[in-house]
Amino acid sequence: MALLTCEDLSLGYEGKAILEHVTFSVNNGDYLCIVGENGSGKSTLMKTILGLRKPLHGTITTGEGLRQNEIGYLPQQTVVQRDFPASVLEIVRSGCQGRQGLRPFYTKAEKKLARDNIRRMGLDDLTRRCYRDLSGGQQQRVLLARALCATGKLLLLDEPVSGLDPKVTAEMYQLISDLNRRERITVIMISHDLGAALKYASHILHIGARVWFGTREDYLQSSVGTAFLQLGGVEQ
Amino acid sequence: MTLEAYLGLPYVQKALLVGVLISMCTALLGVTLVLRRFSFIGDGLSHVAFGAMTVAAVVGLTNDMLLVMPVTIVCAVLLLSVGQHAKVKGDASVAMISVGALAVGYLLMNLFPPSGRSNITGDVCTTLFGGTSILTLQPQEVTLSIVLSIVVVVFFLFFYHKIFAVTFDESFATATGTKTRLYNLLLAIIIAVVIVLAMKLVGSLLISALVVFPALSAMRLFKSFRSVTICAACLSVICTVAGFLSAAMFSTPVGSTIVVANIAVFALFTLGGLIFRRS
């Protein structure tokens, strides 16, 4: 059984569909990139998978023991976060929050998990630093460490490299790719960057007027894929 | 009268105690409110409470809290929990509700002057600035303030990590299973209750100041959520005590003196922040 299965999803606002008949599934260890034009509903799809909004039609099921709240999420940064007075440690620990229930403190295991993820993201020296004083790339790594505290299985990344310079962008992609290949963490990523999507992803979900889902190799041969590639000007 | 003799008076002691407790509560709540861009909610909600009070007076309710409290709570819930997804965004909806309630309240007061009260301007002024009402507290008001402050502090300690998670990133918290709607609701109710009580005691001008100043001052110097929260609560209490005592010494209005003390601390912390960043 797949880790996550979406069947015949329709998404939209106030009963008006902006995206229809989306069917795809993600297996353990996959790296799925969701591509499509602006306004095609990529972020809405992400929010629906996370359970932040209900689909107009269709079902989302999780399998292999994955619970709805075990999905790690890397959201796009909000204005509020940019000047937020919080230490790296506080933010990473808050990834454990979902499992806490009514317990008002973090357990030893949760604190250790936070420490481990800080190390994993190479943030050891920045533990006590303030989030707002970090560079864009460091901030993204902090949020990734937090997402890893919430999950060991599935990461959802919403435009993880937006606003980063080319060098940091490449490092970020490498980091995500390592998590996927070495630690077998399943990745679902929204991306504007078709070049990177085709370089790292194992599967592609193209949404828009036509919905297409399949492996990267098939996408490069498909009519949807070739048309979108020409539009984006990316060389194969 | 010397300062010691003044502080020996029971009603002054009560006023000081209540002032300290309220300023601690508003500072704790202020951190999350300022960070969520709801700095003006103190102002907005106290105007709502003012509007509801005039309605209660016109209708002739003997205990106006029965109307004021529910109305203010409903507005707080609407602004804080629904506001995030509403079509009219945060600051605009606060401004709308605040100005609207103030206008309607003042209009009603003029159309139906409450019997026995001829000085409408005086009434409005007291609502805004608190007047001397903090020095004329009833015993049950003191008890209520103490109980409420304990509730707020316990709530804050118990839900501290949740408040942090919800303030920093609401969608992430919701997605990973934190009951954000519930905590937003609880937070909104507590804020409304604190503001209604504080307004009767210190006036709506002072509430806004007590919500925003300590949090903003603390953010100039401190770099983690915990240190900002603790520092804001301490600053708020210190400013209240300092303002209260200077008001007694120089016979100035209590509310505005406390606000001035907060402004001075803010200036000091801003300067400190600049120096620290340089070095």
Side-chain angles (χ1 to χ4, degrees):
Chain A
M1 191 183 173
L3 205 55
L4 184 82
T5 312
C6 294
E7 222 159 316
D8 198 21
L9 281 183
S10 291
L11 312 171
Y13 297 88
E14 289 148 13
K16 199 169 153 257
I18 53 169
L19 187 61
E20 288 179 297
H21 310 302
V22 180
T23 300
F24 68 96
S25 62
V26 181
N27 290 305
N28 204 0
D30 282 358
Y31 190 142
L32 172 72
C33 254
I34 302 176
V35 297
E37 280 117 49
N38 284 341
S40 55
K42 296 192 292 282
S43 288
T44 312
L45 176 61
M46 194 68 112
K47 284 180 186 147
T48 311
I49 296 173
L50 287 164
L52 295 177
R53 51 184 308 132
K54 292 213 165 9
L56 297 176
H57 179 265
T59 54
I60 300 174
T61 42
T62 53
E64 297 189 16
L66 180 79
R67 285 198 305 266
Q68 177 73 51
N69 63 1
E70 275 183 321
I71 302 175
Y73 176 39
L74 185 78
Q76 292 192 50
Q77 278 213 17
T78 61
V79 192
V80 172
Q81 286 163 5
R82 246 169 241 142
D83 59 347
F84 202 95
S87 69
V88 169
L89 188 61
E90 283 179 315
I91 292 172
V92 175
R93 275 184 186 169
S94 75
C96 303
Q97 189 51 245
R99 273 172 267 134
Q100 231 180 1
L102 277 178
R103 176 161 40 82
F105 51 84
Y106 293 116
T107 61
K108 273 205 174 122
E110 284 168 345
K111 285 179 183 168
K112 186 176 177 299
L113 182 67
R115 285 267 170 204
D116 291 347
N117 283 322
I118 286 173
R119 192 165 310 127
R120 218 162 157 190
M121 291 295 113
L123 296 164
D124 277 321
D125 304 334
L126 306 172
T127 316
R128 299 278 164 198
R129 285 279 295 279
C130 182
Y131 181 75
R132 65 182 166 196
D133 297 340
L134 302 179
S135 70
Q138 289 168 335
Q139 290 185 339
Q140 284 300 67
R141 278 189 282 149
V142 172
L143 296 185
L144 197 53
R146 175 185 67 163
L148 287 169
C149 281
T151 186
K153 293 170 187 160
L154 176 59
L155 277 178
L156 257 73
L157 316 170
D158 193 349
E159 304 268 2
V161 297
S162 68
L164 301 183
D165 66 48
K167 181 167 170 280
V168 181
T169 297
E171 283 168 12
M172 193 73 195
Y173 278 133
Q174 193 56 50
L175 200 60
I176 296 165
S177 177
D178 286 349
L179 285 173
N180 175 249
R181 297 225 175 116
R182 293 198 199 137
E183 317 205 14
R184 299 280 294 161
I185 291 174
T186 311
V187 173
I188 300 178
M189 179 167 85
I190 288 185
S191 184
H192 264 121
D193 182 355
L194 200 56
L198 292 173
K199 186 170 168 199
Y200 295 104
S202 64
H203 292 74
I204 302 280
L205 172 66
H206 180 111
I207 59 177
R210 287 172 66 192
V211 177
W212 191 93
F213 170 70
T215 61
R216 177 185 60 178
E217 289 73 23
D218 290 346
Y219 183 71
L220 291 172
Q221 307 302 322
S222 71
S223 58
V224 179
T226 45
F228 196 55
L229 278 172
Q230 272 165 8
L231 216 62
V234 180
E235 287 173 25
Q236 291 182 25
Chain B
M1 198 192 297
T2 62
L3 196 60
E4 280 148 62
Y6 182 72
L7 285 176
L9 297 170
Y11 70 88
V12 174
Q13 291 171 351
K14 273 186 213 155
L16 190 57
L17 175 69
V18 168
V20 162
L21 290 174
I22 285 180
S23 52
M24 192 173 65
C25 293
T26 49
L28 286 178
L29 296 171
V31 175
T32 165
L33 288 176
V34 167
L35 285 171
R36 287 185 193 205
R37 307 292 188 270
F38 275 109
S39 305
F40 251 108
I41 203 163
D43 211 47
L45 289 181
S46 51
H47 290 171
V48 168
F50 167 76
M53 266 177 212
T54 60
V55 173
V58 168
V59 177
L61 279 178
T62 41
N63 186 355
D64 59 2
M65 276 297 148
L66 289 177
L67 183 74
V68 176
M69 208 54 111
V71 169
T72 316
I73 289 176
V74 168
C75 282
V77 170
L78 284 178
L79 285 174
L80 276 175
S81 45
V82 187
Q84 318 256 330
H85 312 286
K87 292 226 168 103
V88 183
K89 286 288 171 197
D91 60 334
S93 51
V94 173
M96 225 165 58
I97 286 188
S98 149
V99 175
L102 195 62
V104 169
Y106 190 61
L107 192 68
L108 281 175
M109 263 188 148
N110 276 279
L111 284 178
F112 312 96
S115 52
R117 270 195 260 169
S118 52
N119 186 2
I120 292 171
T121 325
D123 276 2
V124 175
C125 200
T126 307
T127 315
L128 282 177
F129 300 111
T132 54
S133 49
I134 194 162
L135 292 171
T136 54
L137 291 168
Q138 301 301 310
Q140 71 263 30
E141 287 176 324
V142 178
T143 321
L144 191 60
S145 306
I146 294 172
V147 170
L148 188 85
S149 310
I150 294 171
V151 170
V152 172
V153 172
V154 168
F155 170 84
F156 213 87
L157 287 178
F158 198 79
F159 292 113
Y160 170 78
H161 290 298
K162 273 124 193 139
I163 293 171
F164 172 76
V166 173
T167 310
F168 182 71
D169 194 338
E170 204 175 323
S171 356
F172 179 86
T174 316
T176 50
T178 306
K179 293 189 176 61
T180 46
R181 290 178 73 104
L182 176 71
Y183 299 122
N184 276 335
L185 192 73
L186 285 174
L187 211 56
I189 292 172
I190 286 199
I191 287 162
V193 174
V194 166
I195 283 172
V196 169
L197 283 172
M199 191 192 107
K200 293 206 95 178
L201 306 175
V202 294
S204 75
L205 177 87
L206 183 55
I207 297 175
S208 296
L210 288 179
V211 167
V212 295
F213 273 114
L216 285 174
S217 302
M219 280 173 212
R220 298 303 110 187
L221 274 190
F222 289 91
K223 293 182 179 292
S224 74
F225 191 72
R226 191 168 62 182
S227 53
V228 165
T229 308
I230 294 170
C231 173
C234 296
L235 278 185
S236 187
V237 169
I238 291 168
C239 287
T240 299
V241 173
F244 194 90
L245 295 181
S246 345
M249 280 194 286
F250 306 110
S251 16
T252 48
V254 179
S256 22
T257 314
I258 294 177
V259 177
V260 169
N262 274 292
I263 295 173
V265 166
F266 177 74
L268 208 67
F269 273 58
T270 308
L271 204 67
L274 286 175
I275 293 168
F276 261 96
R277 210 154 288 179
R278 287 270 171 80
S279 58

